[in-house]
Amino acid sequence: MTCARLPEMICNVAEMAALAAEISLRMAPGMAVLLEGDLGAGKSTFARAFIRALAPRGAEFDIPSPTFTLVQTYTETRIPVAHADLYRTNSASELGELGLDELIQDHVVVVEWPERLDASHWPDTLEIEITGRGDSRHVKLMAKGRCATGLARNLLIKAFLANTKWKSAAREFLEGDASFRRYEALRGETPVILMDMPARADGPPVKHGKPYSAVAHLAEDIRAVAAINGKLVAAGYSAPVVHALDTSSGLAIIEDLGREVFATRIRAGVDMREPMRVAVEVLADIARQDWPVEAPVGDGQMHIVPPYDEDAQLIEVDLLPSWFWPYRHGVDVPADLREEFADIWKKLLPFTREPKAVWTLRDYHSPNLLWLPERSGLRRIGIIDSQDCVRGHPAYDLASMLQDARVDIDFNWADELLEHYCSLRQRLDRADFEAAYALLGAQRATKILGIFARLSKRDGKHAYLAHLPRVSRCLERNLQHPMLAPLKQWYDKHLPAKLREARR
């Protein structure tokens, strides 16, 4: 098990609160912070600063001492927190009644007087020993499991920031998505974002001796971010500018494009007609460009932009029989049905090959598009999370945007935007493009059904299941295209719309 110990620190009360806030950035459910020290050492001060740092920015709420309640829980924080004070506990049975083993499953647990608790079976703990009184405290940290990994990562971040003009900027948790990337907002004279993207760990080999990420051409490290963003910015689009980069540690400081995210605006009912039209115009413009096979990282290295080839597309659609099928049927897919499914796709996917491949960003959809009305022209669309860019068919990103998996895009509105796109590309073969649009939309929806089922089953992220009916409706609409008749027949027989969209 990974373990880490930091040298003893001497902190005043303010510095100890800052340390608590810094530690909160790496916390996740299942972790425990064990606070040791005598009465008056500052354990409660640390705990309150830690909990307050997990609260939404500007939120005000009481953080009472759990001296008499023994356990106080918080759900208004970024992640649920359980704060326990075991000073008054006298027996093992009393400890058992507190339910800390149950709470740690989906909370961060903060424990004062942890020596009265056997926490040896908790794999992810941060032990903090506080001694001293008056203006200074001596603080010792020892971590194991994920806490140790996070502590080591935080030291890398601090060393990286120390060599930039943001070394004194306040750090705030911004986002940790379904992938291996994390983001922090750096609050200073110029707000920017810290991107934390360590090199992707290889999974088990799945095809040709390669892991899934390599076959599907997913970005392996932060070099892809610098290369793709740099080229998009140079071409006149609003991708985040990279201000500082350390490819060896997987850290970057990038431009903060704001919070006017399409998904948030759509859910809030904001008029999105102009932003959506401009986002379509960006894709039409991208389709007219000549895009290179490789792009400079910025430190003398080059990033190869891979083709969106059949192996990548097939391993993505295989997520449906691998994960969505057992989610719906409760058993593994029969081998003959899996082979039949793959054979259908092998016959269809050649129709997505373009003589002139364009850069296909693959995640051009509402969570990754921002409205920047203060800018002009196509630069009013902010584009983030483009590191998985490949060379493929321009219809893919249009389908990604108009058949959004996370927010409702009215089908009639999507058709109007599709019409707008086609009108901008005057030499477009309309029939071929619409066939590719339906095919790639079906391919993407198929993949996403598998991904969301996998996120629930493997990673415990069950919120994604709420999007399955929407994704299935998009899939069903694509399946109406005559070219997709064999695929529709397979779905109708084995995973019909009624079954795909049923709630569990």
Side-chain angles (χ1 to χ4, degrees):
M1 176 178 291
T2 303
C3 295
R5 184 188 298 271
L6 290 187
E8 181 178 296
M9 294 175 279
I10 300 177
C11 306
N12 58 34
V13 173
E15 289 168 339
M16 197 160 67
L19 175 63
E22 186 177 296
I23 287 171
S24 76
L25 294 168
R26 305 297 312 196
M27 287 292 116
M31 297 182 179
V33 177
L34 309 179
L35 296 168
E36 303 175 10
D38 295 333
L39 284 169
K43 300 186 297 299
S44 295
T45 300
F46 188 98
R48 287 192 179 98
F50 176 86
I51 295 167
R52 189 165 284 113
L54 287 170
R57 195 178 189 197
E60 294 289 341
F61 60 91
D62 291 332
I63 306 177
S65 171
T67 301
F68 296 102
T69 59
L70 300 186
V71 177
Q72 179 72 41
T73 59
Y74 300 88
T75 57
E76 57 267 71
T77 45
R78 173 172 63 83
I79 45 180
V81 180
H83 179 197
D85 186 331
L86 306 184
Y87 182 71
R88 295 175 62 247
T89 56
N90 297 307
S91 65
S93 61
E94 191 174 5
L95 284 170
E97 291 172 1
L98 298 180
L100 294 180
D101 282 340
E102 289 73 28
L103 284 168
I104 202 170
Q105 301 303 313
D106 51 12
H107 287 65
V108 171
V109 175
V110 182
V111 182
E112 298 184 46
W113 304 98
E115 55 269 33
R116 307 188 179 195
L117 169 77
D118 179 10
S120 60
H121 58 291
W122 289 352
D124 306 305
T125 59
L126 174 61
E127 297 178 23
I128 302 176
E129 182 184 350
I130 306 172
T131 56
R133 293 179 180 274
D135 293 334
S136 65
R137 300 291 192 277
H138 293 251
V139 181
K140 298 179 182 178
L141 283 76
M142 188 178 76
K144 66 178 184 179
R146 288 183 297 157
C147 290
T149 303
L151 203 60
R153 191 74 187 159
N154 189 57
L155 290 175
L156 276 178
I157 291 172
K158 293 179 72 172
F160 170 65
L161 292 176
N163 294 315
T164 75
K165 65 180 181 180
W166 292 278
K167 61 184 177 182
S168 300
R171 295 165 55 191
E172 295 179 6
F173 181 87
L174 183 61
E175 183 182 324
D177 59 16
S179 70
F180 60 109
R181 298 183 297 276
R182 286 180 66 260
Y183 301 89
E184 295 177 13
L186 302 182
R187 306 291 181 187
E189 184 177 339
T190 305
V192 289
I193 290 173
L194 170 73
M195 186 174 191
D196 180 4
M197 184 180 175
R200 184 191 297 271
D202 282 344
V206 294
K207 192 171 186 178
H208 308 315
K210 299 178 181 178
Y212 175 90
S213 60
V215 179
H217 302 312
L218 302 180
E220 299 293 339
D221 54 47
I222 208 165
R223 293 180 307 127
V225 176
I228 301 302
N229 281 15
K231 183 62 180 176
L232 289 174
V233 170
Y237 306 113
S238 289
V241 173
V242 177
H243 296 298
L245 176 69
D246 183 344
T247 56
S248 63
S249 60
L251 296 168
I253 296 174
I254 64 176
E255 181 183 10
D256 188 343
L257 295 180
R259 303 294 175 268
E260 294 299 319
V261 179
F262 274 36
T264 304
R265 291 169 62 89
I266 291 171
R267 292 190 188 104
V270 176
D271 185 350
M272 290 294 291
R273 285 173 294 181
E274 184 179 9
M276 291 288 282
R277 282 179 67 86
V278 180
V280 163
E281 291 162 10
V282 168
L283 290 179
D285 194 70
I286 287 175
R288 288 190 285 263
Q289 305 278 347
D290 292 320
W291 294 96
V293 174
E294 58 183 22
V297 174
D299 58 356
Q301 302 180 65
M302 299 296 288
H303 169 70
I304 304 299
V305 183
Y308 200 18
D309 52 28
E310 184 176 280
D311 278 349
Q313 292 175 309
L314 284 176
I315 202 168
E316 287 180 338
V317 296
D318 187 64
L319 292 169
L320 183 128
S322 294
W323 293 96
F324 189 77
W325 180 285
Y327 164 74
R328 278 302 183 205
H329 289 288
V331 295
D332 290 342
V333 63
D336 59 333
L337 293 185
R338 187 176 202 148
E339 184 176 351
E340 180 185 346
F341 188 67
D343 287 343
I344 293 170
W345 282 106
K346 288 176 184 177
K347 293 173 182 175
L348 290 172
L349 289 173
F351 292 100
T352 67
R353 302 289 170 257
E354 275 277 275
K356 179 191 173 185
V358 304
W359 273 17
T360 301
L361 304 181
R362 280 209 281 187
D363 280 313
Y364 193 90
H365 59 158
S366 64
N368 296 334
L369 299 174
L370 298 97
W371 182 233
L372 309 174
E374 70 280 5
R375 301 189 182 187
S376 61
L378 301 181
R379 296 188 70 249
R380 288 177 290 172
I381 302 301
I383 305 169
I384 61 174
D385 280 3
S386 57
Q387 59 277 340
D388 291 331
C389 176
V390 290
R391 291 178 287 117
H393 197 290
Y396 185 93
D397 281 346
L398 188 65
S400 174
M401 176 188 166
L402 301 185
Q403 301 175 28
D404 200 289
R406 290 172 174 82
V407 296
D408 291 325
I409 306 293
D410 179 79
F411 285 155
N412 291 330
W413 188 23
D415 289 344
E416 291 174 13
L417 292 167
L418 172 61
E419 183 67 34
H420 181 51
Y421 177 92
C422 292
S423 71
L424 296 170
R425 297 195 57 204
Q426 297 177 353
R427 298 182 181 180
L428 191 69
D429 185 315
R430 183 68 176 265
D432 285 353
F433 185 84
E434 289 188 353
Y437 175 82
L439 175 52
L440 288 167
Q443 190 265 351
R444 179 174 172 81
T446 296
K447 168 180 71 174
I448 292 173
L449 289 174
I451 288 174
F452 286 175
R454 181 178 67 183
L455 284 167
S456 173
K457 176 68 175 179
R458 187 189 69 185
D459 303 329
K461 298 177 179 179
H462 307 302
Y464 288 92
L465 298 179
H467 302 304
L468 292 179
R470 179 185 303 111
V471 178
S472 180
R473 288 193 296 271
C474 291
L475 172 62
E476 191 65 20
R477 196 165 194 248
N478 289 314
L479 292 176
Q480 305 312 308
H481 194 284
M483 178 184 285
L484 275 63
L487 186 62
K488 183 179 187 305
Q489 185 178 12
W490 190 93
Y491 269 113
D492 286 346
K493 185 175 181 181
H494 304 296
L495 275 174
K498 184 177 180 179
L499 177 61
R500 294 195 309 267
E501 297 175 23
R503 295 191 179 273
R504 292 182 59 181

